[in-house]
Amino acid sequence: MIVPILFVVATAFTSSETLSFPPQGFSMRWFGEALSYQPFVGSLVTSLEIALLATLLALAVGVPVTLAIHRGSLPGKGLVENLFLSPLIVPELVVGLALFQQLIVTFRVDNWPVLLIGHTALLLPYAVRVTGATLAGTDASLEEAARGLGASPMRTFWTITMPMLRPGIFSAALLSFITSFNNVPLSLLLQSRKTQTLPVTMLDYVQQSYDPMVAAISTIILAVTIVIAVIAERTVGFAKIFGGINS
């Protein structure tokens, strides 16, 4: 899995006018070309905005739902949980087509908010599943003890529940952001000429050009991902981030 990535990184530093391996000469030219190419820059801003807002919205909805499922007396907990996990089962193309037909075609909603709604729907399973796995591994008696000692429900949440949930929220946010940023099928269906995400723009560029600019922008994204991974490991640790997902 790593070898193809190494090929892409090596190709990004070539001085050749076309994609070729082994690279012919050494040059940083294509990195400058990628960072100054307006379609890449504009779509990068769109991808960051969509990924960040969709992650925040998914967490804003998913965390309360997780608390209601694992700590509340919500009727039909299993049905509610399966409903929020259903985007993992339904193909993204089906979700995208449904949103396109109902919101864009029928109600004439602009592409940007529909794209945000679609990405948020895809991220809800991460918010519910990952935070739920973290919450399931915590001791509920700590919250009961806090309530028994006179703490209000809100104070109990912020002083007891929230610290226990923090690794799950962090991991859900990380997974959600990466999933949204790299999404292609849903974004491809809901895009417009004014609203395009970076992966879709890169796909369009590859279909029209054969120079190493795409390899350069891919290398930049890889470097940023590695930096994020290092920060996540230093601050929380991968054992805490991903440890409870499969429990």
Side-chain angles (χ1 to χ4, degrees):
M1 293 179 63
I2 296 178
V3 172
I5 297 176
L6 297 179
F7 285 152
V8 173
V9 174
T11 305
F13 292 94
T14 185
S15 59
S16 174
E17 295 291 330
T18 59
L19 283 168
S20 60
F21 191 87
Q24 301 174 8
F26 178 86
S27 175
M28 299 287 291
R29 166 195 170 188
W30 296 110
F31 290 94
E33 295 278 353
L35 293 175
S36 61
Y37 186 59
Q38 186 55 41
F40 282 170
V41 175
S43 60
L44 173 61
V45 173
T46 301
S47 288
L48 291 175
E49 291 176 344
I50 293 292
L52 180 59
L53 290 175
T55 298
L56 293 176
L57 289 174
L59 289 175
V61 176
V63 172
V65 169
T66 300
L67 291 172
I69 292 173
H70 291 272
R71 292 292 191 264
S73 55
L74 184 69
K77 294 181 180 180
L79 179 62
V80 173
E81 185 174 14
N82 289 333
L83 177 63
F84 278 88
L85 295 180
S86 60
L88 291 175
I89 303 172
V90 180
E92 293 182 23
L93 291 176
V94 175
V95 176
L97 183 60
L99 291 172
F100 180 82
Q101 290 286 350
Q102 295 299 319
L103 298 182
I104 296 178
V105 176
T106 304
F107 295 103
R108 303 293 182 182
V109 181
D110 189 63
N111 293 77
W112 200 97
V114 177
L115 191 60
L116 177 60
I117 292 172
H119 277 237
T120 302
L122 291 181
L123 302 185
L124 284 175
Y126 296 98
V128 174
R129 183 69 180 92
V130 178
T131 57
T134 301
L135 194 61
T138 60
D139 188 359
S141 63
L142 296 176
E143 298 164 85
E144 296 173 359
R147 294 293 302 276
L149 292 173
S152 64
M154 188 60 65
R155 184 174 179 81
T156 301
F157 173 77
W158 286 111
T159 58
I160 304 297
T161 309
M162 191 63 179
M164 294 190 297
L165 265 178
R166 191 175 293 122
I169 293 176
F170 187 89
S171 59
L174 183 62
L175 290 171
S176 297
F177 185 88
I178 293 174
T179 300
S180 175
F181 188 87
N182 292 324
N183 180 269
V184 173
L186 186 71
S187 302
L188 192 61
L189 277 173
L190 301 178
Q191 70 171 356
S192 67
R193 291 183 179 180
K194 296 181 180 179
T195 304
Q196 278 193 337
T197 60
L198 182 58
V200 174
T201 303
M202 292 171 64
L203 180 62
D204 291 341
Y205 187 85
V206 168
Q207 294 175 341
Q208 301 172 6
S209 303
Y210 199 65
D211 59 49
M213 193 188 301
V214 170
I217 193 66
S218 300
T219 302
I220 294 173
I221 295 174
L222 176 63
V224 173
T225 303
I226 292 175
V227 171
I228 294 175
V230 171
I231 294 174
E233 169 61 21
R234 295 286 184 179
T235 54
V236 180
F238 285 127
K240 290 184 178 180
I241 293 176
F242 300 109
I245 296 177
N246 295 320
S247 62

